[in-house]
Amino acid sequence: MKKIGVVFGGTSAEYEVSLKSTAGVLRSLEELAYEVVMIGVTQKGEWLLYQESIDLIEADTWHLEASCVPLQLDVTGRGFFDLTRNCFIQVDVIFPVLHGGDGENGVLQGVFELMKIPFVGCGVTASAIGMNKMMLHQFAKSLGIKSTPSLLVHKGDVDNLEIQLFIETHGFPIFVKPNEAGSSKGITQATNKEELVTGITEAFLYDHQVILQKNVQGVEIGCSVLGNETLTIGACDQINLAQGFFDYEEKYQLITAEIQVPASIDFKTERQIKEQAEILYRGLGCRGLSRIDFFVTDTNEILLNEINTMPGFTSHSRFPMMMKEVGLDYTEIIQTLIELGVESYEHSLLALSE
């Protein structure tokens, strides 16, 4: 029986999202023939072996349990060292259910590669580029994929000429985003210069770089991709907003927003979105899964917004719902992802031996 190490939590602003996703993954794994090792990362960066109820993960009290055991990553022994019991814990596959920050930007993926353990999801390069919005847009441009017009801002650049030119070219409203963050954390919409300055200041609380992004008149469309070499592309979904924009609160509480699956777009547009998603997925060298988000403007222009290499993963999150529409249920996705992680690892070993 394979031993699956589910890593959750983390130090990013998306810690709470990770806990929700992890609860779904763990409950699904109970239906499959695996031994599960739960490994939590606290918001302070402590790695703990967790052995209690899934419910306590959802409630974010898991780390308070006396049974939690400090762990140390062992890059030479392909596993984790139990510092309390002075023993080694090996796992066959790591399922990292971490969103944003070091969980999704290639840092942990690099650690897992050094540990020589198969893991679920994209590798270092795809994760790093996917997390960096500006770098992603520049890479997409090299593949012939258009992106939402954006400008990278560094600290101290609030009043520079480039920002003024961006305002004059695109006008308000302008979206302000941390360059490397997800789940809409730190994102604001500015309708004037004063709000823009305030938004930039807030975004810098989440990252050392910020991007300004032109407001797009249109609809946001998501496309989910599952696989390594052979890909399964799910149905596109659509974000319907009654007001405002798809911020953190709307994403996880759906107060006025509605996620529609499948999207109400014509066949030609859907096909073009899926083609662009596949080009980007393969170009980045993605593995396992990704959700790629686009805007379709009122003039039917397709613009890349972002890619999520570890999207929200509860059973009712966007990625599983898009896959459900093409016949894959949640547990099947979990099973497939584990198999894809092993396949990717074996492929890398084969490449090294040649």
Side-chain angles (χ1 to χ4, degrees):
M1 181 184 293
K2 271 193 170 64
K3 188 182 290 186
I4 310 299
V6 177
V7 181
F8 64 90
T11 57
S12 85
E14 297 174 72
Y15 170 85
E16 294 176 1
V17 184
S18 170
L19 301 187
K20 292 182 174 65
S21 293
T22 299
V25 170
L26 288 171
R27 291 194 175 104
S28 181
L29 284 170
E30 289 178 336
E31 303 174 29
L32 299 169
Y34 295 115
E35 180 182 349
V36 176
V37 178
M38 296 180 284
I39 302 167
V41 184
T42 70
Q43 290 179 290
K44 294 180 180 180
E46 303 159 315
W47 287 67
L48 302 173
L49 176 65
Y50 176 69
Q51 303 167 82
E52 304 298 336
S53 166
I54 298 172
D55 294 341
L56 300 183
I57 295 176
E58 284 185 298
D60 191 20
T61 58
W62 66 273
H63 51 91
L64 302 176
E65 293 300 302
S67 59
C68 282
V69 176
L71 294 177
Q72 188 174 68
L73 282 70
D74 190 332
V75 296
T76 60
R78 299 189 61 203
F80 304 85
F81 192 76
D82 183 330
L83 294 172
T84 300
R85 292 173 292 196
N86 199 34
C87 64
F88 191 71
I89 300 171
Q90 274 194 315
V91 295
D92 297 303
V93 183
I94 292 176
F95 199 133
V97 195
L98 301 105
H99 306 300
D102 289 342
E104 206 175 338
N105 67 1
V107 170
L108 278 185
Q109 287 74 18
V111 171
F112 299 149
E113 287 186 6
L114 284 173
M115 293 170 75
K116 295 181 172 58
I117 302 177
F119 62 91
V120 168
C122 295
V124 175
T125 303
S127 299
I129 295 175
M131 194 67 184
N132 187 306
K133 295 179 177 65
M134 200 67 191
M135 192 178 293
L136 173 68
H137 289 181
Q138 291 168 343
F139 182 82
K141 183 178 179 180
S142 73
L143 298 176
I145 297 172
K146 292 183 179 179
S147 298
T148 312
S150 303
L151 175 69
L152 188 67
V153 178
H154 301 273
K155 283 189 175 180
D157 290 349
V158 176
D159 288 315
N160 71 13
L161 292 176
E162 281 189 300
I163 293 177
Q164 188 57 43
L165 181 60
F166 190 84
I167 294 170
E168 292 173 2
T169 303
H170 301 295
F172 289 105
I174 291 172
F175 283 96
V176 186
K177 302 180 177 183
N179 190 40
E180 294 190 50
S183 293
S184 296
K185 285 281 191 175
I187 295 180
T188 57
Q189 185 185 46
T191 59
N192 55 53
K193 185 66 180 293
E194 184 180 349
E195 290 178 357
L196 183 66
V197 173
T198 302
I200 290 173
T201 302
E202 181 176 342
F204 273 126
L205 297 176
Y206 294 88
D207 193 18
H208 66 286
Q209 292 182 321
V210 167
I211 65 167
L212 308 185
Q213 199 167 67
K214 176 185 176 181
N215 179 62
V216 175
Q217 294 296 325
V219 62
E220 184 173 344
I221 303 292
C223 182
S224 60
V225 184
L226 177 73
N228 292 338
E229 301 305 321
T230 302
L231 304 183
T232 299
I233 300 180
C236 291
D237 75 357
Q238 174 177 327
I239 309 302
N240 296 321
L241 288 168
Q243 60 187 34
F245 66 97
F246 204 43
D247 60 11
Y248 181 82
E249 191 174 34
E250 285 290 1
K251 279 189 176 182
Y252 297 104
Q253 296 185 37
L254 296 178
I255 297 169
T256 64
E258 174 194 39
I259 300 174
Q260 178 184 332
V261 187
S264 57
I265 52 178
D266 61 74
F267 175 77
K268 180 181 178 182
T269 302
E270 181 180 23
R271 186 186 66 206
Q272 289 175 334
I273 286 173
K274 289 183 176 181
E275 286 173 352
Q276 290 193 24
E278 180 173 348
I279 289 169
L280 187 60
Y281 192 92
R282 292 193 186 281
L284 283 171
C286 292
R287 290 289 183 269
L289 77 163
S290 287
R291 194 194 74 232
I292 305 173
D293 298 334
F294 297 87
F295 289 115
V296 177
T297 71
D298 291 344
T299 57
N300 224 40
E301 185 179 21
I302 298 170
L303 299 173
L304 174 67
N305 182 25
E306 62 182 22
I307 182 170
N308 291 268
T309 52
M310 183 50 73
F313 224 84
T314 68
S315 60
H316 56 272
S317 294
R318 294 175 64 190
F319 184 95
M321 294 303 291
M322 285 189 269
M323 285 297 168
K324 183 178 180 181
E325 195 68 23
V326 295
L328 283 175
D329 68 30
Y330 188 71
T331 303
E332 285 179 288
I333 297 170
I334 301 296
Q335 174 75 67
T336 301
L337 284 171
I338 292 169
E339 292 169 356
L340 289 169
V342 174
E343 177 187 278
S344 181
Y345 176 73
E346 290 175 347
H347 184 269
S348 66
L349 289 181
L350 184 62
L352 288 172
S353 66
E354 291 178 350

